[in-house]
Amino acid sequence: MIKITLIEDDKTLNKLIKRSLDSYYNITGFYDFTTAFNYIKSSHTDIIISDIKLPDGNGIDLLKRVKTFKSEIYFILITGFGTVEEAVNCIKAGAHDYVLKPVDPELLKAKIDLIEENISLKLFAREKYDFSFVYESAKMTEVVNLALKVAETDSNVLITGETGTGKEVLSKFIHLNSKRKNNPFLQVNCPNLQENLFESEIFGYKKGAFTGANADKKGLAKLADKGTLLLDEIGEMPSGFQAKLLRFLEEKQFIPVGASGYETSDVRIISATNKNLEEMVKKGEFRSDLYYRLNIITIEIPPLRERKEDIIPLTYFFMEKFKHLNNKIKDINQQAKDILLKYNFPGNIRELSNIIERAMILETAYEITPSSISLCSSGLTDNDIELDEVIKHHILNILDKTEGDKTKAAKLLKIDRSTLYRKLKEYGIN
């Protein structure tokens, strides 16, 4: 059953929402930011429903903080009529959806049902595709086989690869295939943390350690005890904290901020980065002793352009994932496949996911066609891509920007309407 955490300080509304959802989901309610946040850190939850304005914080801060260590959680924000723009901006930062006050329980349940379907698709994909790994290439077969060997040990692992190649997914794969799989998997996104927050977030703090420290707080290193902690984009970790992390890796001990004694944690560290840490070490931007401690085993995930055999299997995977957006689409035609196979994917798997999600929304046929595929111009550099395909995609992008207005599109393209219509007919664009 889907687990929901509700944070709403209006007790009447809190009880109304709980009562309307209680028979369908496992829902736990809170009235304040602090209690809810401490619960979320130590307990599993699939969906967080939070008011933007809370007595001791707000939903936007909660969203940002939770996303640093549990990025897969879905957020629905509750907002008053005057703060819709704020909610929309928050969605751009990572929230899934929002509802307006007064809250319509049926509308809220409909939004949760869509999320539940999404979660079910992910679970289906994990069962069918080996924990979300979809691959046919020899290169990815080597990566997965190495990950399985690594999972049997407790050694520190460094995962490298370009943005969007699946470093977080591989980290979870290692955890789920290890003896730690029944214990927590937590993560911290290093670029999202301010330098002065690293120590308190990872090692925790004691009551009174600084202004606002009203109670003891366990850090991620302790919360992930007996489990796995992913340090994502570790190349962004400030140099001042690197020495303290090194000491923890060597001794498995740490001192919470404001404490006088050591605490211990049996946690496995997996690090991930899209940077060249070896080059950073040479430039003095990253500690060499920490680098050698982190990369006991290094796994490099190749970019999608170097394993094109995986593009079409991944395409079908994402079509299945997003079929709720357009359930009449059953396939992708050969011309569209050829375009994807010739594309360089500068954004890797994440970009392919976005392309297919968009195509599932825009496509009007019963299969994905070239007209619904929009590619980034920076990826259209492969010598195999013909000039006509570049022109066609440029026209499609302009038409998308003008919402189908051919007069505006012709002006932006600096051609007359008759030329545009001729090109549309030539390229089979409806």
Side-chain angles (χ1 to χ4, degrees):
M1 181 181 285
I2 295 294
K3 293 190 71 174
I4 297 174
T5 300
L6 168 68
I7 311 104
E8 172 54 64
D9 61 315
D10 183 328
K11 294 186 178 181
T12 302
L13 179 56
N14 193 305
K15 290 177 181 177
L16 172 66
I17 294 174
K18 277 196 69 179
R19 195 181 305 121
S20 65
L21 300 176
D22 209 30
S23 58
Y24 304 100
Y25 311 104
N26 182 342
I27 181 166
T28 305
F30 298 94
Y31 301 114
D32 65 280
F33 179 107
T34 304
T35 309
F37 183 67
N38 289 334
Y39 170 82
I40 292 164
K41 285 196 299 183
S42 58
S43 305
H44 172 74
T45 187
D46 298 298
I47 303 171
I48 294 174
I49 303 171
S50 176
D51 198 341
I52 286 185
K53 294 183 178 180
L54 297 167
D56 58 339
N58 64 68
I60 295 173
D61 288 339
L62 181 68
L63 165 68
K64 291 177 179 178
R65 291 184 68 178
V66 171
K67 287 290 184 179
T68 64
F69 60 92
K70 288 188 178 180
S71 61
E72 72 277 7
I73 291 179
Y74 291 83
F75 265 82
I76 297 177
L77 294 169
I78 302 173
T79 176
F81 282 109
T83 56
V84 176
E85 185 177 351
E86 184 179 40
V88 172
N89 288 336
C90 202
I91 286 173
K92 291 178 181 177
H96 181 79
D97 210 338
Y98 69 91
V99 291
L100 295 173
K101 290 183 178 180
V103 176
D104 180 346
E106 288 300 316
L107 175 62
L108 180 58
K109 184 180 182 302
K111 291 177 182 291
I112 294 170
D113 285 344
L114 286 174
I115 293 174
E116 185 178 22
E117 185 176 353
N118 229 352
I119 292 171
S120 298
L121 281 171
K122 287 182 178 179
L123 292 174
F124 164 79
R126 286 182 177 182
E127 292 171 4
K128 187 175 180 181
Y129 295 116
D130 195 13
F131 298 103
S132 296
F133 272 103
V134 184
Y135 61 92
E136 289 185 2
S137 65
K139 286 187 175 183
M140 277 308 295
T141 300
E142 289 179 9
V143 167
V144 172
N145 287 341
L146 178 56
L148 287 170
K149 289 181 182 178
V150 167
E152 297 174 359
T153 74
D154 271 338
S155 300
N156 296 329
V157 184
L158 176 64
I159 301 175
T160 64
E162 295 178 6
T163 299
T165 50
K167 297 186 290 295
E168 180 186 337
V169 176
L170 185 63
S171 302
K172 290 179 179 176
F173 177 81
I174 292 171
H175 172 75
L176 290 169
N177 282 278
S178 75
K179 63 184 180 183
R180 298 173 177 265
K181 63 183 177 182
N182 294 321
N183 296 309
F185 175 91
L186 299 180
Q187 65 185 87
V188 57
N189 193 325
C190 295
N192 287 355
L193 275 183
Q194 297 177 7
E195 184 169 351
N196 61 336
L197 293 179
F198 262 88
E199 190 169 1
S200 61
E201 284 295 318
I202 294 180
F203 294 151
Y205 56 78
K206 293 296 182 180
K207 181 179 179 181
F210 48 82
T211 303
N214 300 320
D216 290 356
K217 173 195 167 183
K218 289 183 179 180
L220 296 175
K222 193 66 175 179
L223 291 171
D225 190 24
K226 302 293 190 298
T228 303
L229 178 61
L230 167 63
L231 302 175
D232 201 9
E233 298 308 339
I234 196 167
E236 302 291 339
M237 179 174 285
S239 56
F241 184 71
Q242 290 178 22
K244 295 177 180 179
L245 177 63
L246 175 63
R247 191 178 306 116
F248 171 63
L249 292 176
E250 291 175 341
E251 302 172 4
K252 294 296 183 181
Q253 293 182 328
F254 61 93
I255 302 176
V257 178
S260 57
Y262 283 95
E263 293 187 14
T264 61
S265 176
D266 173 23
V267 60
R268 181 187 200 167
I269 299 293
I270 298 179
S271 307
T273 183
N274 61 9
K275 294 189 173 184
N276 187 328
L277 291 188
E278 195 169 353
E279 286 298 317
M280 291 181 69
V281 169
K282 291 177 182 177
K283 294 177 181 178
E285 298 172 352
F286 198 88
R287 290 183 65 106
S288 59
D289 45 6
L290 177 59
Y291 170 67
Y292 293 121
R293 175 64 65 175
L294 290 172
N295 77 334
I296 303 298
I297 299 172
T298 299
I299 303 178
E300 181 178 358
I301 305 180
L304 190 54
R305 62 182 173 276
E306 293 180 6
R307 47 186 177 104
K308 290 184 177 283
E309 306 97 310
D310 298 334
I311 291 174
I312 301 307
L314 281 164
T315 296
Y316 280 109
F317 168 76
F318 290 125
M319 286 174 65
E320 177 69 25
K321 176 180 177 180
F322 298 120
K323 69 179 180 181
H324 64 283
L325 299 174
N326 188 344
N327 56 21
K328 73 177 184 179
I329 296 178
K330 305 300 181 186
D331 207 346
I332 175 171
N333 71 19
Q334 189 58 49
Q335 189 179 4
K337 288 180 183 178
D338 291 341
I339 290 171
L340 292 176
L341 288 169
K342 293 175 182 177
Y343 183 60
N344 265 344
F345 288 100
N348 292 293
I349 297 173
R350 190 176 300 155
E351 183 181 12
L352 176 58
S353 173
N354 292 339
I355 289 169
I356 299 305
E357 182 177 8
R358 184 178 183 278
M360 295 292 284
I361 294 170
L362 298 180
E363 186 58 69
T364 57
Y366 289 92
E367 60 182 7
I368 293 178
T369 63
S371 62
S372 62
I373 294 178
S374 179
L375 306 180
C376 172
S377 59
S378 64
L380 295 170
T381 57
D382 195 316
N383 292 330
D384 290 336
I385 297 179
E386 298 176 0
L387 179 60
D388 279 348
E389 290 181 7
V390 178
I391 295 171
K392 177 181 177 179
H393 284 290
H394 183 55
I395 291 173
L396 284 168
N397 285 332
I398 295 298
L399 282 169
D400 185 41
K401 289 179 181 178
T402 62
E403 297 181 341
D405 188 320
K406 296 181 182 64
T407 301
K408 290 182 180 178
K411 286 181 180 179
L412 288 173
L413 291 164
K414 296 181 180 180
I415 59 176
D416 55 48
R417 279 175 55 114
S418 60
T419 301
L420 177 58
Y421 277 106
R422 189 173 70 253
K423 286 293 182 184
L424 294 178
K425 184 176 180 181
E426 179 183 337
Y427 296 133
I429 301 172
N430 184 357

